[in-house]
């Protein structure tokens, strides 16, 4: 940064130049008690704001002709970045997360419920994921951090509770929603359905994702001595990478984990990420979560 000052004292003008420099100092979490989104992206806000781009004068056209349509179109505001949302589906009677990236919208809660009702992708369905939420469910209001909506109460109590848990865990990812009020009941939060999480939750990668080395596997777990093991299998089921990490909380409590793996694959192919706990009794793999992915060649 430079500054110039001029002072008239009845003598020749003196000019001084000051050169100042500065430098600045250039977030992840777990699912708290369930995931962030994978991680890999920050949780979307409930009302994202567009960041305006300063207007730029178009370059004059030769011979005084008006600017071309492409030049005129370049003047204005930049389209907002896409938003990534976290969805909680049901697998084997428990909650499991995945993600969607969609065009930005101010109605993120409506978008999340629409995507939740739409159900899993083919890759997600292949792992057993399903949704219990019917289409048409919408938030009627959000006041003081409490989102209110009505979810159909058909089905047995266990099914109804899983459906409610899907909604609560999906909507409370947004900063504007701390609790959810369903069917006139009292406000509920994530902790009210924490027992519906499997011992190991994988927030990233998601089923069907194309992954490359180094691969970062994230999630939450409550396992023996907080140790989470991960291995990568190729299309033939051969182990191409293995590793382990430690969750931020040990047995009896849930903590976040992050494991980084690398491999050398000769070609792009289907693969599987297995995240599991090693049994303290006999050394077998237990509480396994398998995530089908596409393996990119390693480096």
């Amino acid at each position: 940064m430079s500054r110039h000052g001029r002072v008239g004292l009845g003598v020749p003008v003196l000019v001084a130049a000051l050169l100042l420099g500065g430098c600045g100092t250039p977030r992840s979490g777990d699912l708290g008690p369930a995931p962030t989104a994978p991680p890999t992206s920050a949780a979307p806000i409930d009302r994202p704001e567009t960041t305006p781009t300063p207007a730029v004068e178009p370059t004059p056209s030769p011979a005084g002709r008006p600017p071309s349509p492409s030049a005129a179109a370049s003047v204005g505001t930049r389209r907002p970045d896409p938003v990534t949302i976290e969805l909680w589906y049901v697998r084997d009677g428990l909650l499991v997360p995945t993600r969607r990236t969609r065009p930005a919208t101010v109605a993120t809660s409506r978008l999340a419920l629409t995507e939740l009702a739409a159900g899993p992708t083919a890759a997600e369905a292949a792992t057993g994921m399903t949704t219990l939420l019917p289409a048409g469910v919408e938030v009627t209001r959000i006041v003081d951090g409490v989102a209110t909506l009505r979810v159909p109460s058909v089905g047995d109590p266990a099914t109804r509770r899983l459906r409610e848990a899907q909604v609560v865990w999906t909507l409370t990812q947004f900063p504007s929603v701390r609790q959810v009020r369903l069917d006139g009941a009292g406000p509920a939060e994530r902790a009210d359905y924490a027992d519906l999480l499997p011992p190991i939750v994988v927030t990233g990668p998601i089923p069907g994702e194309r992954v490359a080395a180094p691969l970062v596997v994230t999630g939450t777990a409550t396992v023996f001595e907080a140790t989470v093991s991960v291995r990568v299998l190729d299309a033939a089921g051969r182990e191409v990478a293995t590793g382990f990490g430690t969750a931020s909380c040990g047995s009896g409590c849930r903590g976040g984990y992050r494991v980084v793996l690398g491999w050398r694959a000769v070609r792009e192919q289907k693969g599987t990420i297995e995240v599991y706990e090693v049994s303290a009794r006999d050394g077998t793999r237990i509480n396994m979560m398998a995530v089908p992915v596409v393996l990119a060649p390693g480096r």
Side-chain angles (χ1 to χ4, degrees):
M1 174 177 66
S2 63
R3 300 175 57 189
H4 300 279
R6 178 177 302 169
V7 181
L9 299 176
V11 294
V13 177
L14 300 180
V15 179
L18 299 179
L19 300 178
L20 301 178
C23 59
T25 302
R27 188 166 157 170
S28 86
D30 54 37
L31 298 186
T36 60
T40 62
S41 64
I45 59 176
D46 198 48
R47 291 187 174 271
E49 297 182 357
T50 303
T51 302
T53 301
V56 178
E57 291 294 334
T59 303
S61 300
R65 293 196 300 270
S68 64
S70 60
S74 65
V75 180
T77 59
R78 177 177 61 85
R79 296 185 62 183
D81 294 331
V83 61
T84 297
I85 56 176
E86 186 180 271
L87 304 175
W88 287 84
Y89 287 130
V90 175
R91 176 178 175 182
D92 297 327
L94 297 172
L95 294 175
V96 288
T98 188
R99 298 188 305 275
R100 296 284 186 274
T101 299
R102 296 290 185 261
T105 173
V106 296
T108 49
S109 60
R110 177 182 297 176
L111 172 64
L113 291 178
T114 298
E115 293 290 339
L116 193 63
T121 64
E124 293 164 348
T127 70
M129 285 188 188
T130 187
T131 186
L132 302 177
L133 186 72
V137 175
E138 293 187 359
V139 173
T140 57
R141 63 176 182 170
I142 300 177
V143 179
D144 295 331
V146 179
T148 300
L149 66 161
R150 187 179 188 283
V151 177
S153 60
V154 296
D156 62 89
T159 299
R160 291 199 299 270
R161 188 164 184 262
L162 269 171
R163 183 187 299 121
E164 293 168 357
Q166 281 189 263
V167 172
V168 171
W169 276 76
T170 296
L171 289 182
T172 52
Q173 69 185 285
F174 304 116
S176 61
V177 180
R178 299 188 308 275
Q179 297 176 314
V180 178
R181 189 187 301 275
L182 299 161
D183 300 325
E189 56 189 28
R190 287 190 168 193
D192 295 316
Y193 302 95
D195 61 300
L196 294 178
L197 295 178
I200 296 176
V201 171
V202 180
T203 57
I206 63 173
E209 184 175 346
R210 184 179 185 273
V211 299
L215 169 66
V216 180
V217 181
T218 60
T220 66
T222 172
V223 293
F224 180 69
E225 293 186 343
T227 302
V228 178
S229 298
V230 183
R231 67 176 187 158
V232 181
L233 306 179
D234 65 11
R238 294 184 294 261
E239 185 178 283
V240 298
T242 184
F244 67 92
T246 303
S248 60
C249 192
S251 304
C253 60
R254 180 171 296 274
Y257 66 84
R258 182 178 186 272
V259 181
V260 181
L261 297 169
W263 65 85
R264 293 183 179 276
V266 295
R267 60 181 174 81
E268 183 164 305
Q269 59 190 286
K270 292 182 179 180
T272 305
I273 311 299
E274 293 184 345
V275 188
Y276 55 94
E277 173 186 2
V278 176
S279 171
R281 185 180 63 179
D282 56 16
T284 58
R285 301 182 186 94
I286 60 176
N287 296 321
M288 180 182 295
M289 297 296 289
V291 183
V293 294
V294 176
L295 302 178
R299 297 194 291 271

